[in-house]
Amino acid sequence: MPDGSRTLLDDAMPSWDVAERHHRVVRAEAGAVWDALLTTPVGALPVTRSLMRVRTLGRSSFGSRDRPVVAALPPGEIARREPEQLLLGMVAPVSLRTGADGLEDLRAATVAELTRPLPDGWVRIAMDFRLVPDPAGPGTTALHTETRVLATGRRARRAFRAYWLVIRGGSGLIRHELLRAVSRRAEAAGG
């Protein structure tokens, strides 16, 4: 993907209230990183599992430890450009009073569903993963992730920013742990 090209995330959510970006250079070809991204199991993320149990008051929404993380994350897949971009999304009430079992019900199935008109009181959450080959030379891949949140009105924006102040640190830990686990899996597969 050349620098400056539009991403699936750019197309789905060109403006946002809050964004979080992380990346990691992986010593593996893009194909191995893509496979690792799609297959890294929930069991490889102990910190993430613990934080999600706290968030859901003891009930984990991840299910089996063998379930792939990208299938277990609350935002669900809404688009992909294989093997370089994966876009996940969900639309949630700003109160986030949904139990662990209800998070998957909030997943957007398409970009159109993610961007549909909504009254104040909701947040749109989009998360992507992008692979960029050879940033540090042959046989390496940069794995990027970005999360964007857009509130549907002033009340939702105020409430989400307060929530964001509380969860921002944990959100960053989750993304770092996920990138590290995908990197380990890809590098092990690549020899």
Side-chain angles (χ1 to χ4, degrees), residues 98-168:
T98 304
D101 299 333
L103 290 174
E104 287 190 15
D105 295 337
L106 300 173
R107 290 178 169 182
T110 64
V111 171
E113 191 175 311
L114 179 70
T115 59
R116 72 188 184 275
L118 291 165
D120 193 355
W122 293 82
V123 290
R124 294 178 174 92
I125 302 166
M127 177 182 193
D128 81 341
F129 295 93
R130 293 181 311 282
L131 283 68
V132 181
D134 301 329
T140 63
T141 304
L143 175 59
H144 298 264
T145 184
E146 182 174 351
T147 302
R148 295 179 184 175
V149 180
L150 179 63
T152 58
R154 282 194 336 216
R155 183 178 66 83
R157 193 169 294 111
R158 256 192 329 270
F160 184 79
R161 287 188 185 202
Y163 175 74
W164 183 244
L165 287 173
V166 174
I167 63 114
R168 184 176 184 180

Short mmCIF file of all heavy atoms in Angstrom, two decimals, residues 98-168:
data_model
loop_
_atom_site.label_atom_id
_atom_site.label_comp_id
_atom_site.label_asym_id
_atom_site.label_seq_id
_atom_site.Cartn_x
_atom_site.Cartn_y
_atom_site.Cartn_z
N THR A 98 -23.97 -2.50 28.07
CA THR A 98 -24.24 -3.78 27.45
C THR A 98 -23.38 -4.83 28.12
O THR A 98 -22.19 -4.62 28.32
CB THR A 98 -23.89 -3.72 25.95
OG1 THR A 98 -24.64 -2.66 25.38
CG2 THR A 98 -24.20 -5.01 25.25
N GLY A 99 -23.96 -5.95 28.47
CA GLY A 99 -23.22 -7.04 29.07
C GLY A 99 -22.30 -7.70 28.04
O GLY A 99 -22.38 -7.44 26.85
N ALA A 100 -21.44 -8.56 28.54
CA ALA A 100 -20.48 -9.24 27.67
C ALA A 100 -21.18 -9.98 26.54
O ALA A 100 -20.70 -9.99 25.41
CB ALA A 100 -19.65 -10.22 28.49
N ASP A 101 -22.32 -10.58 26.83
CA ASP A 101 -23.02 -11.36 25.81
C ASP A 101 -23.65 -10.47 24.73
O ASP A 101 -23.94 -10.94 23.64
CB ASP A 101 -24.10 -12.23 26.45
CG ASP A 101 -23.51 -13.22 27.44
OD1 ASP A 101 -22.33 -13.60 27.27
OD2 ASP A 101 -24.21 -13.60 28.38
N GLY A 102 -23.84 -9.19 25.02
CA GLY A 102 -24.49 -8.30 24.06
C GLY A 102 -23.55 -7.54 23.16
O GLY A 102 -23.99 -6.87 22.23
N LEU A 103 -22.24 -7.62 23.40
CA LEU A 103 -21.30 -6.84 22.59
C LEU A 103 -21.34 -7.23 21.12
O LEU A 103 -21.28 -6.37 20.25
CB LEU A 103 -19.88 -6.98 23.14
CG LEU A 103 -19.62 -6.29 24.47
CD1 LEU A 103 -18.23 -6.61 24.98
CD2 LEU A 103 -19.83 -4.79 24.37
N GLU A 104 -21.44 -8.51 20.83
CA GLU A 104 -21.47 -8.93 19.42
C GLU A 104 -22.72 -8.42 18.71
O GLU A 104 -22.70 -8.23 17.50
CB GLU A 104 -21.33 -10.45 19.31
CG GLU A 104 -19.92 -10.91 19.61
CD GLU A 104 -19.68 -12.36 19.27
OE1 GLU A 104 -20.48 -12.96 18.54
OE2 GLU A 104 -18.65 -12.88 19.73
N ASP A 105 -23.80 -8.18 19.44
CA ASP A 105 -25.01 -7.65 18.83
C ASP A 105 -24.82 -6.22 18.33
O ASP A 105 -25.61 -5.73 17.51
CB ASP A 105 -26.18 -7.67 19.82
CG ASP A 105 -26.58 -9.08 20.20
OD1 ASP A 105 -26.29 -10.02 19.41
OD2 ASP A 105 -27.17 -9.26 21.28
N LEU A 106 -23.78 -5.53 18.82
CA LEU A 106 -23.53 -4.15 18.43
C LEU A 106 -22.64 -4.03 17.20
O LEU A 106 -22.42 -2.95 16.69
CB LEU A 106 -22.87 -3.40 19.60
CG LEU A 106 -23.69 -3.33 20.88
CD1 LEU A 106 -22.85 -2.74 22.00
CD2 LEU A 106 -24.96 -2.55 20.67
N ARG A 107 -22.14 -5.16 16.72
CA ARG A 107 -21.25 -5.14 15.56
C ARG A 107 -21.98 -4.64 14.32
O ARG A 107 -23.10 -5.03 14.05
CB ARG A 107 -20.72 -6.54 15.28
CG ARG A 107 -19.74 -7.03 16.30
CD ARG A 107 -19.31 -8.42 15.99
NE ARG A 107 -18.18 -8.80 16.82
CZ ARG A 107 -17.57 -9.95 16.74
NH1 ARG A 107 -17.97 -10.85 15.86
NH2 ARG A 107 -16.56 -10.22 17.53
N ALA A 108 -21.29 -3.79 13.59
CA ALA A 108 -21.80 -3.37 12.29
C ALA A 108 -21.45 -4.46 11.29
O ALA A 108 -20.36 -5.02 11.34
CB ALA A 108 -21.18 -2.04 11.89
N ALA A 109 -22.36 -4.77 10.40
CA ALA A 109 -22.10 -5.81 9.38
C ALA A 109 -21.47 -5.22 8.12
O ALA A 109 -20.81 -5.92 7.37
CB ALA A 109 -23.39 -6.52 9.04
N THR A 110 -21.69 -3.93 7.90
CA THR A 110 -21.18 -3.26 6.70
C THR A 110 -20.77 -1.84 7.06
O THR A 110 -21.16 -1.31 8.11
CB THR A 110 -22.27 -3.18 5.61
OG1 THR A 110 -23.34 -2.35 6.12
CG2 THR A 110 -22.81 -4.55 5.23
N VAL A 111 -20.05 -1.19 6.15
CA VAL A 111 -19.70 0.21 6.34
C VAL A 111 -20.97 1.05 6.38
O VAL A 111 -21.09 1.98 7.19
CB VAL A 111 -18.74 0.69 5.24
CG1 VAL A 111 -18.55 2.20 5.29
CG2 VAL A 111 -17.40 -0.03 5.36
N ALA A 112 -21.95 0.73 5.55
CA ALA A 112 -23.21 1.48 5.55
C ALA A 112 -23.91 1.40 6.90
O ALA A 112 -24.47 2.39 7.38
CB ALA A 112 -24.14 0.96 4.45
N GLU A 113 -23.87 0.24 7.53
CA GLU A 113 -24.48 0.10 8.86
C GLU A 113 -23.70 0.91 9.91
O GLU A 113 -24.28 1.50 10.80
CB GLU A 113 -24.52 -1.38 9.24
CG GLU A 113 -25.35 -1.65 10.46
CD GLU A 113 -25.48 -3.13 10.75
OE1 GLU A 113 -25.80 -3.90 9.83
OE2 GLU A 113 -25.27 -3.51 11.92
N LEU A 114 -22.39 0.94 9.77
CA LEU A 114 -21.56 1.71 10.69
C LEU A 114 -21.84 3.21 10.59
O LEU A 114 -21.85 3.91 11.59
CB LEU A 114 -20.07 1.45 10.40
CG LEU A 114 -19.06 2.20 11.26
CD1 LEU A 114 -19.08 1.69 12.70
CD2 LEU A 114 -17.66 2.08 10.67
N THR A 115 -22.13 3.68 9.39
CA THR A 115 -22.27 5.12 9.15
C THR A 115 -23.72 5.60 9.06
O THR A 115 -23.96 6.76 8.75
CB THR A 115 -21.53 5.51 7.86
OG1 THR A 115 -22.06 4.77 6.77
CG2 THR A 115 -20.03 5.23 7.98
N ARG A 116 -24.68 4.72 9.32
CA ARG A 116 -26.09 5.12 9.22
C ARG A 116 -26.42 6.25 10.20
O ARG A 116 -25.78 6.38 11.24
CB ARG A 116 -27.00 3.92 9.46
CG ARG A 116 -27.05 3.45 10.91
CD ARG A 116 -27.81 2.14 11.05
NE ARG A 116 -27.95 1.72 12.43
CZ ARG A 116 -27.07 1.04 13.13
NH1 ARG A 116 -25.92 0.70 12.59
NH2 ARG A 116 -27.29 0.70 14.38
N PRO A 117 -27.40 7.09 9.87
CA PRO A 117 -27.78 8.18 10.77
C PRO A 117 -28.30 7.64 12.10
O PRO A 117 -29.05 6.66 12.14
CB PRO A 117 -28.90 8.90 10.01
CG PRO A 117 -28.72 8.50 8.59
CD PRO A 117 -28.14 7.12 8.62
N LEU A 118 -27.89 8.29 13.18
CA LEU A 118 -28.30 7.90 14.53
C LEU A 118 -28.53 9.15 15.35
O LEU A 118 -27.87 10.17 15.15
CB LEU A 118 -27.22 7.05 15.21
CG LEU A 118 -27.00 5.65 14.65
CD1 LEU A 118 -25.69 5.10 15.16
CD2 LEU A 118 -28.15 4.75 15.03
N PRO A 119 -29.41 9.08 16.36
CA PRO A 119 -29.60 10.22 17.25
C PRO A 119 -28.42 10.36 18.21
O PRO A 119 -27.59 9.44 18.32
CB PRO A 119 -30.87 9.86 18.01
CG PRO A 119 -30.88 8.36 18.02
CD PRO A 119 -30.27 7.95 16.70
N ASP A 120 -28.34 11.46 18.91
CA ASP A 120 -27.32 11.66 19.93
C ASP A 120 -27.43 10.53 20.96
O ASP A 120 -28.52 10.06 21.27
CB ASP A 120 -27.54 13.02 20.62
CG ASP A 120 -26.36 13.45 21.47
OD1 ASP A 120 -25.40 12.66 21.63
OD2 ASP A 120 -26.41 14.58 21.99
N GLY A 121 -26.29 10.08 21.45
CA GLY A 121 -26.29 9.01 22.45
C GLY A 121 -25.58 7.76 22.00
O GLY A 121 -25.54 6.76 22.71
N TRP A 122 -24.96 7.81 20.82
CA TRP A 122 -24.28 6.64 20.26
C TRP A 122 -22.85 6.99 19.88
O TRP A 122 -22.53 8.15 19.64
CB TRP A 122 -25.01 6.14 19.02
CG TRP A 122 -26.36 5.59 19.33
CD1 TRP A 122 -27.51 6.31 19.50
CD2 TRP A 122 -26.71 4.22 19.55
NE1 TRP A 122 -28.55 5.47 19.80
CE2 TRP A 122 -28.09 4.17 19.83
CE3 TRP A 122 -25.98 3.03 19.51
CZ2 TRP A 122 -28.74 2.99 20.09
CZ3 TRP A 122 -26.65 1.84 19.76
CH2 TRP A 122 -28.02 1.83 20.05
N VAL A 123 -21.99 5.96 19.79
CA VAL A 123 -20.65 6.13 19.25
C VAL A 123 -20.41 5.09 18.17
O VAL A 123 -20.87 3.96 18.29
CB VAL A 123 -19.54 6.04 20.33
CG1 VAL A 123 -19.57 7.24 21.25
CG2 VAL A 123 -19.62 4.75 21.11
N ARG A 124 -19.75 5.53 17.13
CA ARG A 124 -19.31 4.63 16.06
C ARG A 124 -17.84 4.31 16.34
O ARG A 124 -17.04 5.22 16.57
CB ARG A 124 -19.43 5.31 14.71
CG ARG A 124 -20.85 5.60 14.31
CD ARG A 124 -20.86 6.33 12.96
NE ARG A 124 -22.21 6.49 12.50
CZ ARG A 124 -22.96 7.57 12.76
NH1 ARG A 124 -22.48 8.57 13.45
NH2 ARG A 124 -24.21 7.63 12.31
N ILE A 125 -17.51 3.04 16.33
CA ILE A 125 -16.14 2.62 16.62
C ILE A 125 -15.63 1.82 15.43
O ILE A 125 -16.26 0.84 15.03
CB ILE A 125 -16.08 1.77 17.90
CG1 ILE A 125 -16.66 2.55 19.08
CG2 ILE A 125 -14.65 1.29 18.18
CD1 ILE A 125 -16.96 1.73 20.31
N ALA A 126 -14.53 2.27 14.85
CA ALA A 126 -13.90 1.55 13.74
C ALA A 126 -12.45 1.28 14.11
O ALA A 126 -11.77 2.13 14.68
CB ALA A 126 -13.99 2.37 12.46
N MET A 127 -12.01 0.07 13.81
CA MET A 127 -10.65 -0.35 14.13
C MET A 127 -10.09 -1.05 12.90
O MET A 127 -10.78 -1.88 12.31
CB MET A 127 -10.69 -1.31 15.32
CG MET A 127 -9.38 -1.90 15.72
SD MET A 127 -9.66 -3.04 17.11
CE MET A 127 -7.98 -3.29 17.64
N ASP A 128 -8.88 -0.71 12.52
CA ASP A 128 -8.31 -1.40 11.37
C ASP A 128 -6.95 -1.98 11.69
O ASP A 128 -6.32 -1.63 12.70
CB ASP A 128 -8.24 -0.49 10.14
CG ASP A 128 -7.05 0.45 10.13
OD1 ASP A 128 -6.45 0.70 11.19
OD2 ASP A 128 -6.71 0.96 9.05
N PHE A 129 -6.53 -2.88 10.82
CA PHE A 129 -5.18 -3.43 10.82
C PHE A 129 -4.68 -3.28 9.40
O PHE A 129 -5.39 -3.61 8.46
CB PHE A 129 -5.18 -4.91 11.23
CG PHE A 129 -5.65 -5.13 12.64
CD1 PHE A 129 -6.97 -5.40 12.91
CD2 PHE A 129 -4.75 -5.05 13.69
CE1 PHE A 129 -7.41 -5.59 14.21
CE2 PHE A 129 -5.18 -5.24 15.00
CZ PHE A 129 -6.50 -5.51 15.26
N ARG A 130 -3.46 -2.74 9.25
CA ARG A 130 -2.87 -2.56 7.93
C ARG A 130 -1.46 -3.13 7.94
O ARG A 130 -0.70 -2.92 8.88
CB ARG A 130 -2.80 -1.06 7.58
CG ARG A 130 -4.13 -0.42 7.39
CD ARG A 130 -4.03 1.05 7.03
NE ARG A 130 -3.16 1.86 7.85
CZ ARG A 130 -3.46 2.34 9.06
NH1 ARG A 130 -4.62 2.05 9.60
NH2 ARG A 130 -2.61 3.09 9.72
N LEU A 131 -1.11 -3.80 6.87
CA LEU A 131 0.22 -4.37 6.71
C LEU A 131 0.94 -3.61 5.61
O LEU A 131 0.38 -3.40 4.53
CB LEU A 131 0.14 -5.85 6.32
CG LEU A 131 -0.18 -6.83 7.44
CD1 LEU A 131 -1.59 -6.66 7.95
CD2 LEU A 131 0.03 -8.24 6.96
N VAL A 132 2.16 -3.19 5.90
CA VAL A 132 2.98 -2.49 4.92
C VAL A 132 4.30 -3.25 4.79
O VAL A 132 5.08 -3.30 5.74
CB VAL A 132 3.24 -1.03 5.36
CG1 VAL A 132 4.09 -0.30 4.32
CG2 VAL A 132 1.94 -0.29 5.61
N PRO A 133 4.54 -3.89 3.63
CA PRO A 133 5.75 -4.69 3.45
C PRO A 133 7.03 -3.85 3.43
O PRO A 133 7.03 -2.70 3.01
CB PRO A 133 5.56 -5.37 2.11
CG PRO A 133 4.11 -5.22 1.79
CD PRO A 133 3.65 -3.99 2.51
N ASP A 134 8.11 -4.48 3.89
CA ASP A 134 9.47 -3.98 3.76
C ASP A 134 9.77 -2.60 4.36
O ASP A 134 10.53 -1.84 3.77
CB ASP A 134 9.90 -3.98 2.29
CG ASP A 134 9.84 -5.35 1.67
OD1 ASP A 134 10.04 -6.35 2.38
OD2 ASP A 134 9.59 -5.42 0.47
N PRO A 135 9.26 -2.21 5.51
CA PRO A 135 9.61 -0.89 6.04
C PRO A 135 11.06 -0.84 6.53
O PRO A 135 11.67 0.20 6.52
CB PRO A 135 8.64 -0.70 7.20
CG PRO A 135 8.35 -2.09 7.65
CD PRO A 135 8.36 -2.93 6.39
N ALA A 136 11.61 -1.99 6.95
CA ALA A 136 12.97 -2.03 7.47
C ALA A 136 13.85 -2.93 6.61
O ALA A 136 14.89 -3.39 7.06
CB ALA A 136 12.95 -2.52 8.91
N GLY A 137 13.41 -3.22 5.41
CA GLY A 137 14.18 -4.07 4.52
C GLY A 137 13.41 -5.32 4.17
O GLY A 137 12.33 -5.58 4.69
N PRO A 138 13.96 -6.11 3.25
CA PRO A 138 13.28 -7.34 2.82
C PRO A 138 13.00 -8.28 3.98
O PRO A 138 13.80 -8.40 4.90
CB PRO A 138 14.29 -7.96 1.85
CG PRO A 138 15.16 -6.83 1.40
CD PRO A 138 15.23 -5.88 2.56
N GLY A 139 11.83 -8.90 3.93
CA GLY A 139 11.45 -9.86 4.95
C GLY A 139 10.87 -9.26 6.20
O GLY A 139 10.72 -9.96 7.21
N THR A 140 10.54 -7.97 6.17
CA THR A 140 9.88 -7.34 7.32
C THR A 140 8.57 -6.72 6.88
O THR A 140 8.39 -6.37 5.71
CB THR A 140 10.75 -6.26 7.98
OG1 THR A 140 10.98 -5.21 7.05
CG2 THR A 140 12.08 -6.82 8.47
N THR A 141 7.67 -6.60 7.83
CA THR A 141 6.34 -6.03 7.57
C THR A 141 5.96 -5.14 8.74
O THR A 141 6.11 -5.54 9.90
CB THR A 141 5.29 -7.15 7.43
OG1 THR A 141 5.70 -8.04 6.40
CG2 THR A 141 3.92 -6.58 7.11
N ALA A 142 5.47 -3.95 8.47
CA ALA A 142 4.95 -3.09 9.53
C ALA A 142 3.47 -3.42 9.70
O ALA A 142 2.71 -3.43 8.73
CB ALA A 142 5.12 -1.62 9.19
N LEU A 143 3.09 -3.73 10.93
CA LEU A 143 1.69 -4.00 11.26
C LEU A 143 1.16 -2.80 12.02
O LEU A 143 1.66 -2.47 13.10
CB LEU A 143 1.59 -5.28 12.10
CG LEU A 143 0.21 -5.64 12.64
CD1 LEU A 143 -0.80 -5.83 11.51
CD2 LEU A 143 0.30 -6.91 13.49
N HIS A 144 0.21 -2.12 11.43
CA HIS A 144 -0.39 -0.92 12.03
C HIS A 144 -1.80 -1.24 12.49
O HIS A 144 -2.51 -2.01 11.84
CB HIS A 144 -0.49 0.21 10.99
CG HIS A 144 0.81 0.67 10.46
ND1 HIS A 144 1.47 1.75 10.96
CD2 HIS A 144 1.59 0.17 9.46
CE1 HIS A 144 2.61 1.92 10.29
NE2 HIS A 144 2.69 0.97 9.37
N THR A 145 -2.22 -0.61 13.57
CA THR A 145 -3.62 -0.64 13.96
C THR A 145 -4.02 0.77 14.38
O THR A 145 -3.23 1.51 14.97
CB THR A 145 -3.90 -1.65 15.09
OG1 THR A 145 -5.33 -1.68 15.34
CG2 THR A 145 -3.21 -1.31 16.38
N GLU A 146 -5.23 1.12 14.02
CA GLU A 146 -5.78 2.42 14.40
C GLU A 146 -7.23 2.21 14.79
O GLU A 146 -7.95 1.45 14.15
CB GLU A 146 -5.69 3.42 13.24
CG GLU A 146 -6.20 4.79 13.61
CD GLU A 146 -5.99 5.83 12.52
OE1 GLU A 146 -5.28 5.54 11.52
OE2 GLU A 146 -6.53 6.94 12.66
N THR A 147 -7.62 2.88 15.86
CA THR A 147 -9.02 2.86 16.30
C THR A 147 -9.52 4.30 16.27
O THR A 147 -8.84 5.20 16.75
CB THR A 147 -9.15 2.29 17.72
OG1 THR A 147 -8.61 0.97 17.73
CG2 THR A 147 -10.61 2.25 18.16
N ARG A 148 -10.69 4.50 15.67
CA ARG A 148 -11.33 5.82 15.62
C ARG A 148 -12.72 5.71 16.22
O ARG A 148 -13.42 4.73 15.97
CB ARG A 148 -11.44 6.32 14.19
CG ARG A 148 -10.10 6.56 13.52
CD ARG A 148 -10.28 7.02 12.09
NE ARG A 148 -8.99 7.18 11.43
CZ ARG A 148 -8.84 7.47 10.15
NH1 ARG A 148 -9.91 7.66 9.38
NH2 ARG A 148 -7.64 7.58 9.62
N VAL A 149 -13.10 6.74 16.96
CA VAL A 149 -14.42 6.79 17.58
C VAL A 149 -15.07 8.12 17.21
O VAL A 149 -14.44 9.18 17.33
CB VAL A 149 -14.33 6.66 19.11
CG1 VAL A 149 -15.71 6.72 19.74
CG2 VAL A 149 -13.61 5.36 19.50
N LEU A 150 -16.31 8.04 16.77
CA LEU A 150 -17.07 9.23 16.40
C LEU A 150 -18.41 9.19 17.12
O LEU A 150 -19.18 8.24 16.95
CB LEU A 150 -17.29 9.29 14.88
CG LEU A 150 -18.08 10.47 14.35
CD1 LEU A 150 -17.34 11.79 14.63
CD2 LEU A 150 -18.34 10.31 12.86
N ALA A 151 -18.66 10.21 17.92
CA ALA A 151 -19.93 10.31 18.65
C ALA A 151 -21.01 10.92 17.75
O ALA A 151 -20.70 11.65 16.81
CB ALA A 151 -19.76 11.17 19.90
N THR A 152 -22.26 10.61 18.07
CA THR A 152 -23.37 11.08 17.23
C THR A 152 -23.92 12.43 17.65
O THR A 152 -24.84 12.93 17.01
CB THR A 152 -24.51 10.05 17.24
OG1 THR A 152 -24.94 9.87 18.59
CG2 THR A 152 -24.07 8.73 16.64
N GLY A 153 -23.39 13.03 18.70
CA GLY A 153 -23.88 14.33 19.14
C GLY A 153 -23.08 14.83 20.33
O GLY A 153 -22.18 14.15 20.83
N ARG A 154 -23.44 16.03 20.80
CA ARG A 154 -22.70 16.65 21.91
C ARG A 154 -22.75 15.83 23.19
O ARG A 154 -21.74 15.64 23.87
CB ARG A 154 -23.23 18.05 22.17
CG ARG A 154 -22.73 19.05 21.17
CD ARG A 154 -22.95 20.48 21.58
NE ARG A 154 -24.04 20.67 22.52
CZ ARG A 154 -24.86 21.69 22.53
NH1 ARG A 154 -24.73 22.62 21.63
NH2 ARG A 154 -25.80 21.80 23.43
N ARG A 155 -23.93 15.33 23.55
CA ARG A 155 -24.06 14.54 24.78
C ARG A 155 -23.20 13.29 24.71
O ARG A 155 -22.46 12.96 25.63
CB ARG A 155 -25.53 14.17 25.02
CG ARG A 155 -25.77 13.42 26.31
CD ARG A 155 -27.25 13.12 26.51
NE ARG A 155 -27.79 12.19 25.53
CZ ARG A 155 -27.69 10.87 25.61
NH1 ARG A 155 -27.07 10.31 26.63
NH2 ARG A 155 -28.22 10.10 24.69
N ALA A 156 -23.26 12.61 23.58
CA ALA A 156 -22.47 11.39 23.41
C ALA A 156 -20.98 11.70 23.41
O ALA A 156 -20.18 10.96 24.00
CB ALA A 156 -22.86 10.69 22.10
N ARG A 157 -20.59 12.80 22.79
CA ARG A 157 -19.17 13.18 22.74
C ARG A 157 -18.64 13.47 24.14
O ARG A 157 -17.56 13.00 24.51
CB ARG A 157 -19.01 14.42 21.84
CG ARG A 157 -17.59 14.74 21.46
CD ARG A 157 -17.51 15.80 20.36
NE ARG A 157 -18.07 15.25 19.12
CZ ARG A 157 -19.22 15.65 18.57
NH1 ARG A 157 -19.93 16.61 19.13
NH2 ARG A 157 -19.66 15.09 17.46
N ARG A 158 -19.40 14.21 24.94
CA ARG A 158 -18.98 14.51 26.32
C ARG A 158 -18.85 13.24 27.14
O ARG A 158 -17.86 13.02 27.84
CB ARG A 158 -20.00 15.44 26.99
CG ARG A 158 -19.58 16.86 27.10
CD ARG A 158 -20.46 17.70 28.00
NE ARG A 158 -21.86 17.33 28.08
CZ ARG A 158 -22.82 17.80 27.29
NH1 ARG A 158 -22.53 18.66 26.34
NH2 ARG A 158 -24.06 17.41 27.45
N ALA A 159 -19.85 12.37 27.05
CA ALA A 159 -19.84 11.13 27.83
C ALA A 159 -18.70 10.22 27.39
O ALA A 159 -18.01 9.63 28.23
CB ALA A 159 -21.18 10.41 27.70
N PHE A 160 -18.47 10.12 26.08
CA PHE A 160 -17.41 9.23 25.62
C PHE A 160 -16.05 9.75 26.02
O PHE A 160 -15.17 8.98 26.40
CB PHE A 160 -17.46 8.98 24.12
CG PHE A 160 -16.41 7.97 23.71
CD1 PHE A 160 -16.64 6.62 23.91
CD2 PHE A 160 -15.18 8.39 23.23
CE1 PHE A 160 -15.66 5.68 23.61
CE2 PHE A 160 -14.19 7.46 22.93
CZ PHE A 160 -14.44 6.11 23.12
N ARG A 161 -15.83 11.05 25.95
CA ARG A 161 -14.51 11.59 26.33
C ARG A 161 -14.22 11.32 27.79
O ARG A 161 -13.07 11.02 28.15
CB ARG A 161 -14.44 13.07 25.99
CG ARG A 161 -14.30 13.25 24.49
CD ARG A 161 -14.04 14.65 24.09
NE ARG A 161 -14.06 14.67 22.62
CZ ARG A 161 -13.50 15.57 21.90
NH1 ARG A 161 -12.82 16.53 22.47
NH2 ARG A 161 -13.58 15.52 20.59
N ALA A 162 -15.22 11.38 28.65
CA ALA A 162 -15.02 11.04 30.07
C ALA A 162 -14.66 9.56 30.19
O ALA A 162 -13.73 9.18 30.93
CB ALA A 162 -16.27 11.36 30.87
N TYR A 163 -15.37 8.70 29.48
CA TYR A 163 -15.09 7.26 29.47
C TYR A 163 -13.68 7.01 28.93
O TYR A 163 -12.93 6.19 29.47
CB TYR A 163 -16.15 6.56 28.62
CG TYR A 163 -15.94 5.09 28.41
CD1 TYR A 163 -16.17 4.17 29.43
CD2 TYR A 163 -15.52 4.60 27.17
CE1 TYR A 163 -15.99 2.81 29.22
CE2 TYR A 163 -15.33 3.25 26.96
CZ TYR A 163 -15.57 2.36 27.99
OH TYR A 163 -15.38 1.02 27.79
N TRP A 164 -13.30 7.73 27.87
CA TRP A 164 -12.00 7.54 27.25
C TRP A 164 -10.86 7.85 28.22
O TRP A 164 -9.83 7.18 28.23
CB TRP A 164 -11.90 8.41 26.00
CG TRP A 164 -10.63 8.25 25.24
CD1 TRP A 164 -9.67 9.19 25.03
CD2 TRP A 164 -10.17 7.07 24.57
NE1 TRP A 164 -8.66 8.69 24.27
CE2 TRP A 164 -8.93 7.37 23.99
CE3 TRP A 164 -10.68 5.79 24.42
CZ2 TRP A 164 -8.20 6.45 23.26
CZ3 TRP A 164 -9.95 4.85 23.70
CH2 TRP A 164 -8.72 5.19 23.13
N LEU A 165 -11.04 8.87 29.05
CA LEU A 165 -10.01 9.20 30.04
C LEU A 165 -9.75 8.02 30.97
O LEU A 165 -8.62 7.79 31.39
CB LEU A 165 -10.42 10.42 30.86
CG LEU A 165 -10.35 11.75 30.13
CD1 LEU A 165 -10.94 12.86 31.00
CD2 LEU A 165 -8.92 12.09 29.73
N VAL A 166 -10.79 7.26 31.27
CA VAL A 166 -10.66 6.12 32.18
C VAL A 166 -10.03 4.91 31.48
O VAL A 166 -9.19 4.22 32.06
CB VAL A 166 -12.05 5.74 32.76
CG1 VAL A 166 -11.97 4.46 33.58
CG2 VAL A 166 -12.60 6.89 33.60
N ILE A 167 -10.42 4.64 30.24
CA ILE A 167 -10.01 3.38 29.60
C ILE A 167 -8.82 3.51 28.64
O ILE A 167 -8.33 2.50 28.14
CB ILE A 167 -11.20 2.72 28.85
CG1 ILE A 167 -11.72 3.60 27.70
CG2 ILE A 167 -12.30 2.38 29.81
CD1 ILE A 167 -11.46 2.98 26.37
N ARG A 168 -8.36 4.70 28.38
CA ARG A 168 -7.31 4.90 27.36
C ARG A 168 -6.07 4.05 27.62
O ARG A 168 -5.53 3.42 26.70
CB ARG A 168 -6.95 6.37 27.26
CG ARG A 168 -5.95 6.63 26.17
CD ARG A 168 -5.68 8.10 26.02
NE ARG A 168 -4.78 8.28 24.89
CZ ARG A 168 -4.36 9.44 24.49
NH1 ARG A 168 -4.76 10.53 25.11
NH2 ARG A 168 -3.55 9.53 23.48
#
